[in-house]
Amino acid sequence: VFLTSVSTCMGCRMALYASSEEAVGADTLFLHGDNDLTDQTNGEAYLPYLSMSPLFSEEDSAKRNSRFNLDGWGIAWTENGTWSVHKSANPATAGGVVTEEACAAARGRIVFGHVRNGTSARLEVNNHPFLIDGLAWMHNGMVVDLETVRPRLLASLPEDLKAQIHGQTDSELAGAVFASYVRRARADNHSGAEALSMAMRLTIRDVVQPALSQQVLAASSGKLGRFGSAQNASSLNYAASDGHSVVATRFRSCDAEDPPTLYLGWPLDDAVEVKGTRDPACRPDSATAKCPLARLGPMSIAARRLWIASEPLNYLDNKESMRVWGLLPKDSMVVFDGASGVTVSCLSEACEARTAAAEASEEAAETAETAEAQVSHHVHF
C-alpha cells in the first residue's frame, strides 16, 4: 500500500555530513548545535536569507518548512561504504537517553539524519533514511498527484527493487527509482558521483516530467524545462549516497515558487573560494573580512568536509561553530565527491536564467562600487 495524493506540501527536516577524511557522530547533527535536528523537531524554523528570494512567500514558506516534525526520526551512517541504520517512530525530542545513545553509536564519514512530518502512518518503516540497493536515501517534500505517478513509477522498477520498498511513502518509492537509475548508470560504465548525479536528474524527470524520462541515459546531463501551475507542483529535496559520494537537490516543479530550504555548510578553516550572492546587510568587521554568501551559485570547490541541512545547524552569529552556511538556489543539485570536492549545478532552465541575472546584478554592483571608490579617491587628493 502506498500513500495517496495530498494537495498540500508537508515538510520534514534533514541534515547530512560528508567527508573524505574525518568521521563524526550523529550527535553533531542531532544534539550539538544551536539549531540541531532535535531543535528542528518542534520549534521556530530558522531560515536565514530565504526572504531575499524574489519568489519568497511567508505563507508558502510556512507550508514547506515545517516547525513540527514529530512523526519519528532516523539515522544512516557509514565509515567504509557499508550502511547501518537506526529509526524510531517516536519524536526525536522524546528519546532522551535513547536518542543520545543511538547518536553516539552512529559514527561515520557520511552520516544522514532526518526528522519526519508525515502524511502517512507513524510507523518505523516509513521513517527516513531508507536503505535501498546499498544506497542511503532521504527526502524533504512531497510528490503530488501520486495516484497518477505511482503506477508509472512502480511499472518502471524491477521486481527485486519493488521488494525493497517496505513502507507507504512517496519518498521511498522515489528512492527505489533512483536505485534503478544508478544500476543503469553503472551498467553503462559510469561510477561514483557521476552515476549518482545522472540517476538523480533522471529520477526527478521521472517524477515531474515523465515524457522526458524516456530519454537515453547519455542525455541525463540536460536541464529540465519550464514549469507552470503551482497546483500540481512537487517539492523534491532529495539526498542520496553510495557510501562514498553524496548528491542532494533543492527543487520544486513550479517556476514561481520556492522549494523547502536547503543549506550548504563548510568549515570556516577550509580555504575555499565560493561563488554566490553576498548578504547585502553584512558589513565586514575588518578590511580583509568577507561577508557570508546569502545565496550560493553554480560552482566547484575543493572542500574536505561539508554539511547539507534543511536549516543551518548553528546560528550564523555563533563564531564558535566554525561553520559557514549558504542557501542553495532553487532547482539546484550539490554533489560531494571525496576525490574532487563539491559542485553545485542547475537542474532547470529557470535556475540557469536566475543565476545569469544574479551574476549580472552582482557584476553591476561591483562595477558601481569600484567607480564610487575611484571618485572618492580623486576627490580626496
Side-chain angles (χ1 to χ4, degrees):
V1 179
F2 291 88
L3 181 68
T4 55
S5 176
V6 181
S7 60
T8 57
C9 178
M10 304 292 285
C12 300
R13 302 280 85 178
M14 63 183 186
L16 67 87
Y17 167 86
S19 173
S20 59
E21 303 172 357
E22 181 181 347
V24 301
D27 49 0
T28 62
L29 304 182
F30 277 87
L31 300 171
H32 295 162
D34 306 321
N35 189 48
D36 55 48
L37 283 175
T38 302
D39 295 318
Q40 294 175 38
T41 297
N42 185 11
E44 291 291 337
Y46 179 56
L47 310 173
Y49 309 134
L50 181 60
S51 61
M52 292 172 57
S53 167
L55 304 177
F56 176 71
S57 159
E58 191 168 343
E59 179 182 356
D60 288 345
S61 175
K63 291 178 184 176
R64 296 183 197 121
N65 298 290
S66 177
R67 294 175 51 199
F68 306 108
N69 301 287
L70 301 167
D71 295 320
W73 62 282
I75 317 166
W77 68 97
T78 180
E79 178 67 35
N80 55 13
T82 301
W83 289 97
S84 299
V85 66
H86 176 93
K87 297 185 183 185
S88 171
N90 296 315
T93 50
V97 174
V98 175
T99 302
E100 293 179 13
E101 290 178 349
C103 288
R107 185 174 183 84
R109 289 185 298 105
I110 299 178
V111 184
F112 278 31
H114 192 279
V115 291
R116 181 170 178 255
N117 178 2
T119 52
S120 54
R122 184 186 283 186
L123 300 172
E124 193 171 288
V125 292
N126 287 333
N127 286 349
H128 312 220
F130 304 102
L131 299 184
I132 305 173
D133 221 30
L135 304 165
W137 175 269
M138 59 185 179
H139 175 207
N140 173 17
M142 178 179 290
V143 177
V144 298
D145 195 24
L146 198 61
E147 69 272 15
T148 300
V149 175
R150 178 182 60 203
R152 174 170 51 78
L153 296 183
L154 281 171
S156 72
L157 294 175
E159 291 302 318
D160 68 313
L161 282 180
K162 290 181 186 178
Q164 294 184 52
I165 301 173
H166 304 296
Q168 302 165 308
T169 65
D170 60 316
S171 305
E172 189 178 22
L173 175 57
V177 172
F178 174 79
S180 72
Y181 277 124
V182 171
R183 283 186 182 181
R184 288 180 54 184
R186 290 171 175 169
D188 284 357
N189 297 317
H190 302 285
S191 61
E194 181 185 28
L196 299 186
S197 301
M198 297 174 77
M200 185 63 81
R201 289 181 183 274
L202 287 168
T203 299
I204 291 177
R205 285 184 174 183
D206 254 13
V207 173
V208 300
Q209 288 189 338
L212 289 178
S213 69
Q214 303 307 313
Q215 296 182 18
V216 296
L217 198 61
S220 64
S221 60
K223 301 296 185 295
L224 293 164
R226 297 284 181 163
F227 296 92
S229 172
Q231 296 301 314
N232 294 310
S234 294
S235 291
L236 308 180
N237 285 20
Y238 290 141
S241 175
D242 61 0
H244 304 283
S245 302
V246 170
V247 59
T249 60
R250 182 177 181 234
F251 182 87
R252 183 165 173 83
S253 58
C254 173
D255 287 347
E257 293 185 336
D258 272 325
T261 52
L262 195 65
Y263 294 83
L264 177 64
W266 62 96
L268 190 61
D269 58 358
D270 270 11
V272 298
E273 189 64 32
V274 185
K275 292 183 179 179
T277 304
R278 300 203 176 272
D279 182 355
C282 170
R283 297 293 181 268
D285 54 10
S286 72
T288 58
K290 287 187 175 181
C291 291
L293 291 171
R295 175 191 174 277
L296 301 175
M299 62 184 178
S300 178
I301 59 175
R304 298 172 291 115
R305 298 171 288 163
L306 87 159
W307 292 262
I308 300 172
S310 299
E311 301 178 22
L313 299 176
N314 58 270
Y315 297 135
L316 300 186
D317 59 1
N318 182 349
K319 305 301 183 183
E320 297 180 358
S321 71
M322 300 301 289
R323 275 187 299 218
V324 183
W325 294 92
L327 178 64
L328 286 162
K330 168 178 162 58
D331 301 350
S332 65
M333 177 169 68
V334 57
V335 179
F336 173 80
D337 183 330
S340 58
V342 181
T343 59
V344 177
S345 59
C346 280
L347 289 167
S348 69
E349 294 173 359
C351 173
E352 290 195 327
R354 285 190 299 271
T355 297
E359 289 177 348
S361 177
E362 283 279 294
E363 185 176 343
E366 289 178 2
T367 301
E369 287 179 6
T370 301
E372 183 178 347
Q374 289 175 342
V375 168
S376 176
H377 175 78
H378 287 307
V379 168
H380 180 73
F381 286 97

